């Protein structure tokens, strides 16, 4: 599904998905597998206990965590978001965006900020840069569209 996103919905999605804690949590599980019970703070070093708990709560709210397994594992939506994060980080690293010393998390956050801007406010990109960013944008639209359908099914019991 590659439906267009309204600007307010795009901005809300980008803002919601750009939490440093959420990026770290989703990426850690995607890269290394489920996080054992009570190992969240040890796994997400550099985040305070409060930040780690907030990331877990946000992931729960977004239905990114599979509760049918022990520990913290990703749902299909969580895996899709991890793929979006990976694509955003690859694009940013390839184009040194925002600069060549940025961290994985900062790259993703900056790309999501860039994608949250209306097209007329985005910087002019070279053709190759624009194509790559468009591919990241397609993943964002697909994830938001699919996630919204799943949320509607959970909330209303029907497909939207």
């Amino acid at each position: 599904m590659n439906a267009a996103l309204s600007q307010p919905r795009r901005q809300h999605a980008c803002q919601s998905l750009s939490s440093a804690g959420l990026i770290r949590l989703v990426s850690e599980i995607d890269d290394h597998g489920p996080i054992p019970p009570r190992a969240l703070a040890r796994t997400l070093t550099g985040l305070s206990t409060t930040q780690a708990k907030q990331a877990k709560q946000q992931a729960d709210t977004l239905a990114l965590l599979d509760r049918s397994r022990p520990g913290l594992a990703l749902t299909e939506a969580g895996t899709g978001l991890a793929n979006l994060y990976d694509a955003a980080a690859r694009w940013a690293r390839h184009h040194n965006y925002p600069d060549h010393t940025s961290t994985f998390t900062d790259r993703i956050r900056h790309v999501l900020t860039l994608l949250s801007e209306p097209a007329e406010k985005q910087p002019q990109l070279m053709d190759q840069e624009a194509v790559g960013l468009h591919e990241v944008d397609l993943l964002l639209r697909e994830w938001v569209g699919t996630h919204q359908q799943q949320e509607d099914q959970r909330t209303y019991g029907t497909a939207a």
Side-chain angles (χ1 to χ4, degrees):
M1 166 186 263
N2 288 328
L5 286 177
S6 68
Q7 190 57 36
R9 189 164 182 190
R10 172 183 293 279
Q11 288 174 325
H12 176 73
C14 288
Q15 181 180 8
S16 297
L17 300 177
S18 66
S19 157
L22 182 65
I23 293 167
R24 292 272 315 278
L25 176 64
V26 169
S27 298
E28 181 67 31
I29 297 170
D30 184 56
D31 290 347
H32 302 288
I35 298 174
R38 297 185 244 240
L40 185 62
R42 281 192 321 266
T43 303
L44 299 179
T45 57
L47 294 180
S48 70
T49 302
T50 301
Q51 290 171 316
K53 286 180 182 178
Q54 287 173 338
K56 181 179 169 277
Q57 289 171 341
Q58 185 179 9
D60 276 333
T61 299
L62 293 171
L64 303 176
L65 300 177
D66 184 350
R67 293 310 196 165
S68 67
R69 300 174 59 182
L72 300 176
L74 294 177
T75 60
E76 189 175 324
T79 300
L81 183 55
N83 292 337
L84 169 61
Y85 285 163
D86 287 343
R90 265 192 315 276
W91 180 86
R93 186 177 53 250
H94 183 75
H95 297 290
N96 292 319
Y97 184 79
D99 66 48
H100 69 283
T101 62
S102 298
T103 66
F104 178 82
T105 301
D106 285 341
R107 290 179 197 277
I108 293 167
R109 295 179 83 188
H110 279 86
V111 169
L112 289 173
T113 298
L114 181 62
L115 291 175
S116 73
E117 295 292 327
E120 60 273 5
K121 289 189 177 183
Q122 291 183 4
Q124 292 296 317
L125 301 172
M126 302 297 282
D127 287 344
Q128 185 180 7
E129 291 174 318
V131 168
L133 188 60
H134 178 70
E135 290 171 2
V136 176
D137 184 60
L138 288 174
L139 286 173
L140 173 67
R141 287 186 282 160
E142 182 178 305
W143 189 87
V144 170
T146 300
H147 185 269
Q148 186 61 49
Q149 282 183 342
Q150 291 169 350
E151 188 175 302
D152 289 346
Q153 288 174 348
R154 282 191 309 275
T155 303
Y156 305 112
T158 60

